[in-house]
Every structure is written in C-alpha cells, then in structure tokens.
Amino acid sequence: EIYTLSLHDALPIWSAVYNALSFGIAAMGSATVFFWLQLPNVTKNYRTALTITGIVTLIATYHYFRIFNSWVAAFDVSNEKGGDYAVSLSGAPFNDAYRYVDWLLTVPLLLIELILVMKLPAEQTASLSWQLGVSSAIMVALGYPGEIQNSLSERWTWWALAMVPFLYVVGTLVVGLGEATAKQGETVAPLVTSARLLTAVSWCTYPFVYIIKNTGLAGTVATTYEQIGYSLADVTAKAVFGVLVWAIAEIGRASCRERV
C-alpha cells in the first residue's frame, strides 16, 4: 500500500487523489447551487428535470465529502523538522463503497432527467424511465461485488455481468433515442444529442477504470488511477451533463417567449 513507497513518491500519490476528490466536491457543490438558483428562470415544464439535476449533484457532493474524509482519515501525513513529508497508514480503513451508493442513487436519476427534457409522450417517458432506470441500477448492483473481490477471475465475471445492462443503456442512448431526438425543435435537438453522447462517452470511462485492477495492477498506483478516473468521469457525467440539461431548459424558455 501507500506506506511501502519512498517518501518522495508517497506524497504526490496521496496528494493526487486528495486533489481529485477535492475537485469533485467543488464541481458538484457549485453545480448544485447553480442549478437550483436557475429554477425560477426556466419554464414549469423543465423545472422537474432541473430539480432532479440539482438533486443528483447534491447527492454526489455529499458522497464526495464522505470519500474525501475517509481518504484523509486513512493516512497520516507528517513533517518533522522541515524534512520530507511522511505518509503512513493511520489504521482507519478507506471506504470507497460510498461511490457505489452514490451511483445506485444518481445514475437512474441522470437517465430520468434526460428523458424528461426530451418532452416525449407521457407513456413513452414513463416506459423509458423505468427501463433505463432499472437497467442502470442493476448495472451498479452487479459491479460492486466484483469491486471488492481480490480474485481476478471473479472481478472479470462480475464486470462481464454488469456490462450486459450497461450495453443496453448505452445502446439506447446512442441509437434508441435517435428518432425521438430528431423530433425535437431545431434549437433543442443538437443539445439533446450532445447530452446523449456526453452521457454515453462519460459512461464508457467507468468500465475501463474498473478493469485497472483486473489487469493485475495493484497497490497505490491502481488506487490513484481508479480514484482520479472515477472522479473525472463523475464530474463529466453529472455536473457537465447538468449544464446541458439547464441549457435545454433555457432554450425551451426562449422558445416559449417567442411563441408569446
């Protein structure tokens, strides 16, 4: 683990994860404030989607605080007499399971908010929300058992199982919603397409980060890549995606004004 590294190597690795988690807190927290401050400025039809967007980033902010605090508590960083900083285990466990709790709550909501801003017929909206929401929850639930396994064969097995609902959801985002997107207005359709593709691309980051440890890479290097990779993917899939949802709502408000 991290205490087996030289002092010159340990601090940069510890700091890299520390800063990535701090970045996640700042991005998710500021996004939440922005989305909810914009609620009075969008039309009623888009407020539910924007509210859910804020809830997603709020939940993520909370869990990033928990992950950050767990990371800080798991290590002792000390400096004696102006020498090199020493990084050692404190004895407290680093609990990364917060990520899976976060994903179980926020991933279905992310898909639901995308469906809501597309303004599909009520029956289609309900159907797609259930299908994509349940599929994404199953995907997360299947991923966690593999995350806590030390056996590479078991990690690969759970990864493969989780990829089944993952491919269904990504396929629906990239292909299945194409016809519905084409029916959006000329100004809204490009943003909806961007939101779909951003979600699909950012989601494709997660399986690759997951298999870092499947390749046999372990210890602090694997943990560093994993934490930074997941943090960047989360900010893109939640905060940046939320900005696109807000932009769609803003265009919807402008269109309503033009019709009036």
Side-chain angles (χ1 to χ4, degrees):
E1 296 299 332
I2 203 163
Y3 64 89
T4 64
L5 298 176
S6 68
L7 298 183
H8 294 287
D9 293 331
L11 185 62
I13 288 176
W14 181 85
S15 297
V17 176
Y18 181 99
N19 291 329
L21 297 174
S22 180
F23 171 71
I25 294 171
M28 301 296 188
S30 57
T32 301
V33 174
F34 172 76
F35 297 145
W36 284 354
L37 285 177
Q38 291 299 313
L39 278 174
N41 300 327
V42 301
T43 60
K44 186 177 180 180
N45 291 338
Y46 289 98
R47 286 176 187 168
T48 299
L50 198 59
T51 299
I52 293 175
T53 304
I55 291 173
V56 165
T57 50
L58 177 64
I59 293 172
T61 302
Y62 167 76
H63 285 111
Y64 266 85
F65 265 115
R66 299 303 300 269
I67 299 170
F68 178 84
N69 290 337
S70 181
W71 179 259
V72 171
F75 303 97
D76 289 322
V77 182
S78 59
N79 174 267
E80 295 182 3
K81 300 179 181 180
D84 289 330
Y85 280 88
V87 180
S88 59
L89 291 175
S90 67
F94 172 53
N95 184 4
D96 194 29
Y98 292 121
R99 284 199 185 277
Y100 278 84
V101 176
D102 176 81
W103 293 337
L104 194 61
L105 294 171
T106 59
V107 170
L109 291 176
L110 280 170
L111 296 171
I112 290 172
E113 68 186 74
L114 175 61
I115 299 303
L116 287 174
V117 297
M118 294 183 69
K119 296 301 173 187
L120 301 172
E123 184 177 346
Q124 188 178 7
T125 297
S127 176
L128 282 171
S129 296
W130 275 106
Q131 291 172 19
L132 295 180
V134 172
S135 296
S136 61
I138 292 173
M139 174 190 70
V140 175
L142 289 173
Y144 180 68
E147 190 73 64
I148 60 177
Q149 298 295 329
N150 292 322
S151 168
L152 292 182
S153 61
E154 291 186 12
R155 285 184 63 88
W156 278 113
T157 298
W158 286 107
W159 178 86
L161 291 173
M163 286 298 291
V164 175
F166 171 85
L167 291 174
Y168 167 74
V169 173
V170 171
T172 302
L173 289 173
V174 176
V175 179
L177 294 176
E179 183 178 347
T181 303
K183 296 179 181 178
Q184 309 293 313
E186 291 184 1
T187 54
V188 174
L191 283 175
V192 173
T193 299
S194 297
R196 287 167 46 218
L197 295 179
L198 177 70
T199 303
V201 171
S202 63
W203 274 36
C204 286
T205 306
Y206 293 96
F208 289 102
V209 176
Y210 185 98
I211 63 175
I212 286 175
K213 293 180 179 178
N214 292 29
T215 61
L217 195 64
T220 53
V221 175
T223 299
T224 301
Y225 289 159
E226 189 177 65
Q227 294 302 316
I228 293 175
Y230 281 148
S231 297
L232 292 176
D234 276 348
V235 170
T236 303
K238 295 171 186 176
V240 178
F241 172 77
V243 172
L244 286 177
V245 171
W246 164 78
I248 293 170
E250 184 68 15
I251 289 177
R253 182 184 68 158
S255 297
C256 289
R257 284 182 174 179
E258 290 178 1
R259 287 195 294 269
V260 172

